[in-house]
Amino acid sequence: MTGIKHDYAETELLYNQFTRPSARKALRELKKEVGESPKIMDAGCGPGSHFELFEKIFPNAKIVAVDSSKPHIEEARQKAEKTGIDIDIVKADLEKNLDLEEDSFDMIWFGDVICPSDISNPVGLINNLKPFLNKDGLISIFYGNWLRQMFMPGYARLEQKINAAYEMMHETRNLNNPWQGPDHPEKAIKWLQETGFKEVSQSIHTSNYSPKIPDHVLDYVEHVFKNDYSDAVDEKGREAGLTEEEISKWEKLSDPESLMYLPEKDDYYCSMSCILTYGKV
Ligand SMILES: C[S@@+](CC[C@H](N)C(=O)[O-])C[C@H]1O[C@@H](n2cnc3c(N)ncnc32)[C@H](O)[C@@H]1O
């Protein structure tokens, strides 16, 4: 299967639209801790995917968005300009010295940032940012958990093998950085314990779509099937244990032209369970 390739910003948009219910619930939970008008650092803001949510949930917040990628910073600036959201946007490496005011932030938000493909030392990064939190400050790590999503109801074994292949492909593409063990974002509780944060909490926020599924969700599922899952099956499927029969079944289930195309079934549903981990100074 060839698959339509989307550029990063487009993929990010589809992904963030899909996971928005989870991010919204996570931010609302954090609002109970930090109040109505916090100073927030959006650490690793990317193209500004969460700006609108920040604006809606914290209309009186002061937001400082930081990213090291020039194209992402440019897109984030364009987004802030287009939406009229007042955000300070800073191009900087979060793992180096930052020219920001210490002891000043009520909350640091990492949205899908501390992942082995980008950050080799999560504890080091968290320690680097801790001095920017004020004495009641809170650090929050939001992870979409996109290597465990459920997009193929009724085909658990098949999807689990595809997700295993997807993880293996991801590791290979990211210079063999292993997506398991202590640097995996599912271990965020431990990072916060090791960096001395207190009252560490974790909650799971699901983005769950049942019939009738919105078009943007169907677009994202089609995107995942045509890109991530298909590439994973081609590159690592056999290594992950998929049989030829399973590969052939996958091809039918994921082909929009096939009568078996899963997302078009009347009973189709899908979900992603995002993990929020946070702790206080
Ligand atoms: C997967 S994207 C997530 C973007 C956004 N937070 C979101 O939830 O859509 C990870 C972002 O972290 C940024 N990033 C990774 N390592 C970084 C570092 N050391 N300093 C600053 N930004 C970093 C990347 O440039 C990228 O924009």
Side-chain angles (χ1 to χ4, degrees), residues 146-244:
W146 41 271
L147 290 167
R148 285 185 194 265
Q149 58 215 357
M150 187 195 182
F151 285 178
M152 297 177 65
Y155 296 90
R157 183 174 39 177
L158 189 52
E159 188 167 22
Q160 277 166 26
K161 287 184 185 179
I162 293 172
N163 275 324
Y166 184 27
E167 184 183 297
M168 288 156 81
M169 179 183 81
H170 205 71
E171 281 184 353
T172 310
R173 287 189 179 174
N174 287 292
L175 308 170
N176 291 317
N177 285 340
W179 268 74
Q180 53 182 293
D183 295 336
H184 194 289
E186 290 171 4
K187 302 295 285 180
I189 288 181
K190 191 135 201 310
W191 304 337
L192 295 192
Q193 288 168 341
E194 283 178 18
T195 44
F197 282 88
K198 300 184 192 84
E199 298 174 51
V200 176
S201 303
Q202 193 169 62
S203 48
I204 307 270
H205 300 280
T206 302
S207 293
N208 177 42
Y209 299 97
S210 307
K212 285 205 102 172
I213 313 268
D215 284 347
H216 74 85
V217 171
L218 292 174
D219 286 350
Y220 182 59
V221 174
E222 185 179 347
H223 167 80
V224 169
F225 280 6
K226 283 189 170 167
N227 295 275
D228 309 334
Y229 278 19
S230 289
D231 289 354
V233 170
D234 289 347
E235 284 181 35
K236 296 284 181 186
R238 287 164 185 83
E239 213 180 308
L242 283 163
T243 63
E244 296 309 318

Side-chain angles (χ1 to χ4, degrees), residues 4-252:
I4 300 165
K5 303 291 170 196
H6 290 65
D7 67 21
Y8 176 81
E10 207 179 333
T11 302
E12 195 70 13
L13 178 69
L14 284 170
Y15 168 76
N16 277 291
Q17 269 184 302
F18 188 97
T19 53
R20 186 153 300 151
S22 306
R24 186 184 299 117
K25 285 182 257 184
L27 286 168
R28 283 194 181 134
E29 180 172 335
L30 296 171
K31 188 176 182 178
K32 290 183 201 147
E33 304 289 337
V34 297
E36 293 285 331
S37 43
K39 181 175 175 188
I40 300 175
M41 185 195 304
D42 183 4
C45 63
S49 338
H50 290 130
F51 288 0
E52 282 119 323
L53 266 186
F54 284 134
E55 162 83 352
K56 280 207 175 83
I57 294 171
F58 298 103
N60 300 315
K62 165 145 187 53
I63 317 263
V64 181
V66 184
D67 205 288
S68 54
S69 149
K70 198 168 168 233
H72 289 178
I73 283 288
E74 270 163 22
E75 282 169 51
R77 288 211 169 104
Q78 280 167 18
K79 170 158 258 183
E81 217 168 281
K82 211 163 95 187
T83 54
I85 301 174
D86 182 20
I87 294 194
D88 282 350
I89 299 173
V90 178
K91 184 182 173 307
D93 186 336
L94 297 164
E95 293 181 283
K96 303 216 168 111
N97 285 338
L98 285 171
D99 188 17
L100 297 173
E101 193 185 341
E102 293 202 356
D103 288 320
S104 75
F105 286 88
D106 299 292
M107 174 170 130
I108 295 174
W109 165 265
F110 289 106
D112 275 310
V113 174
I114 314 188
C115 298
S117 39
D118 280 329
I119 305 294
S120 59
N121 179 4
V123 167
L125 170 63
I126 293 166
N127 271 328
N128 199 42
L129 293 192
K130 200 174 175 186
F132 297 98
L133 285 170
N134 63 33
K135 66 174 176 41
D136 302 312
L138 177 147
I139 194 154
S140 58
I141 299 168
F142 180 80
Y143 169 53
N145 209 16
W146 41 271
L147 290 167
R148 285 185 194 265
Q149 58 215 357
M150 187 195 182
F151 285 178
M152 297 177 65
Y155 296 90
R157 183 174 39 177
L158 189 52
E159 188 167 22
Q160 277 166 26
K161 287 184 185 179
I162 293 172
N163 275 324
Y166 184 27
E167 184 183 297
M168 288 156 81
M169 179 183 81
H170 205 71
E171 281 184 353
T172 310
R173 287 189 179 174
N174 287 292
L175 308 170
N176 291 317
N177 285 340
W179 268 74
Q180 53 182 293
D183 295 336
H184 194 289
E186 290 171 4
K187 302 295 285 180
I189 288 181
K190 191 135 201 310
W191 304 337
L192 295 192
Q193 288 168 341
E194 283 178 18
T195 44
F197 282 88
K198 300 184 192 84
E199 298 174 51
V200 176
S201 303
Q202 193 169 62
S203 48
I204 307 270
H205 300 280
T206 302
S207 293
N208 177 42
Y209 299 97
S210 307
K212 285 205 102 172
I213 313 268
D215 284 347
H216 74 85
V217 171
L218 292 174
D219 286 350
Y220 182 59
V221 174
E222 185 179 347
H223 167 80
V224 169
F225 280 6
K226 283 189 170 167
N227 295 275
D228 309 334
Y229 278 19
S230 289
D231 289 354
V233 170
D234 289 347
E235 284 181 35
K236 296 284 181 186
R238 287 164 185 83
E239 213 180 308
L242 283 163
T243 63
E244 296 309 318
E245 203 182 322
E246 285 172 324
I247 292 174
S248 158
K249 187 181 283 175
W250 151 250
E251 283 170 352
K252 291 187 187 103

